[in-house]
């Protein structure tokens, strides 16, 4: 198993609500990437944070936002939840500049009702 | 942007036989190609990766080949075992995109006893 952890494991919200998901990166890693994985599909890149700055963004609306903290842990925030936001949210940490291998956390299963 | 296609979507092989999964990518600037294994309800786990300066890489029963000219790469699993049953994802990324991974749709590998 990797040293990447995520919380919570599962979450149920209703449409219009807001949610915050958390990720702790592996020791020595300064980059966190977030992915959305719908059932039966491959992960879709949301955004990446490197040394507390957004370092690239996929095709997701602005209601998906994030933060990275000085200890390189990260948060994903989703506002105005929609039914289609129901998915597994994965974070992956990597050591930018050292290697590009991404190690994944166990994910947060978000269900929007 | 990058697009990754993966085939087949499902692959069923007899235990002990070999399995081959193929991916093509669109962006010639892509230079990093990891393969992940994802068991049901679990996180994606890196099983092997290859960079564009290498044509082939092997790790015990697993090998990956890369054809930069044709823009395709393949995963080869020999002497398949029941524990190889999972969904396998290929991905591609490039340095200029800060290694943001673009994923294939996945291949469900079934090992028949």
């Amino acid at each position: 198993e990797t040293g990447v952890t995520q919380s919570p494991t599962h979450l149920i919200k209703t449409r219009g609500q807001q949610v915050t998901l958390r990720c702790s990166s592996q020791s020595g890693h300064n980059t966190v990437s977030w992915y959305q994985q719908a059932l039966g599909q491959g992960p879709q890149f949301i955004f990446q944070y490197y040394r507390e700055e957004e370092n690239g963004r996929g095709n997701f609306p602005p209601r998906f936002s994030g933060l990275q903290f000085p200890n390189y842990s990260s948060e994903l925030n989703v506002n105005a939840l929609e039914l289609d936001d129901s998915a597994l949210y994965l974070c992956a940490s990597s050591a930018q500049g050292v290697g590009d291998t991404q190690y994944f956390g166990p994910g947060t299963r978000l269900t929007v009702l | 942007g990058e697009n990754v296609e993966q085939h087949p979507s499902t692959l069923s092989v007899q235990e002990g036989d070999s399995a081959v999964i193929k991916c093509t990518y669109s962006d010639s600037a892509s230079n990093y190609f990891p393969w992940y294994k994802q068991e049901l309800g679990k996180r994606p786990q890196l099983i092997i990766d290859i960079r564009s300066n290498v044509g082939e890489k092997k790790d015990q029963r697993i090998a990956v080949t890369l054809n930069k000219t044709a823009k395709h790469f393949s995963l080869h699993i020999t002497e398949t075992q029941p524990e190889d049953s999972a969904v396998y994802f290929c991905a591609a990324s490039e340095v200029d995109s800060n290694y943001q991974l673009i994923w294939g749709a996945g291949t469900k590998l079934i090992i028949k006893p």
Side-chain angles (χ1 to χ4, degrees), chain B residues 35-95:
Chain B
W35 286 88
Y36 284 85
K37 174 184 180 183
Q38 189 175 30
E39 297 176 44
L40 191 63
K42 297 193 175 181
R43 73 187 80 192
Q45 290 191 305
L46 180 73
I47 56 172
I48 196 166
D49 57 12
I50 191 167
R51 289 169 175 77
S52 58
N53 59 346
V54 175
E56 184 174 357
K57 184 177 177 180
K58 190 173 181 180
D59 183 4
Q60 299 183 348
R61 298 187 296 109
I62 295 173
V64 56
T65 58
L66 172 65
N67 183 325
K68 286 179 59 180
T69 303
K71 290 189 283 187
H72 67 70
F73 55 112
S74 300
L75 177 71
H76 304 252
I77 305 174
T78 59
E79 301 172 13
T80 53
Q81 301 169 3
E83 54 264 37
D84 294 331
S85 294
V87 178
Y88 290 80
F89 291 97
C90 63
S93 72
E94 54 154 328
V95 174

Side-chain angles (χ1 to χ4, degrees), chain A residues 36 46-47 57 60-66 76-78 85 89:
Chain A
Q36 180 195 66
I46 303 174
F47 43 55
R57 188 179 185 92
F60 280 81
R63 60 190 185 83
F64 285 78
S65 63
L76 164 65
N77 298 291
V78 187
D85 296 333
Y89 288 84

Side-chain angles (χ1 to χ4, degrees), chain A residues 21-94:
Chain A
L21 311 181
R22 295 178 176 83
C23 172
S24 291
S25 59
Q26 187 165 306
S27 177
H29 287 182
N30 56 20
T31 302
V32 173
S33 303
W34 285 92
Y35 296 86
Q36 180 195 66
Q37 186 177 25
L39 203 60
Q41 297 182 22
Q44 300 292 315
F45 175 73
I46 303 174
F47 43 55
Q48 182 184 83
Y49 278 85
Y50 169 59
R51 293 185 174 178
E52 303 179 58
E53 296 286 334
E54 187 178 290
N55 193 39
R57 188 179 185 92
N59 190 25
F60 280 81
R63 60 190 185 83
F64 285 78
S65 63
L67 282 174
Q68 187 177 33
F69 300 99
N71 65 355
Y72 303 128
S73 66
S74 178
E75 284 183 357
L76 164 65
N77 298 291
V78 187
N79 293 322
L81 284 167
E82 301 177 0
L83 297 179
D84 286 349
D85 296 333
S86 295
L88 180 68
Y89 288 84
L90 295 160
C91 76
S93 77
S94 56

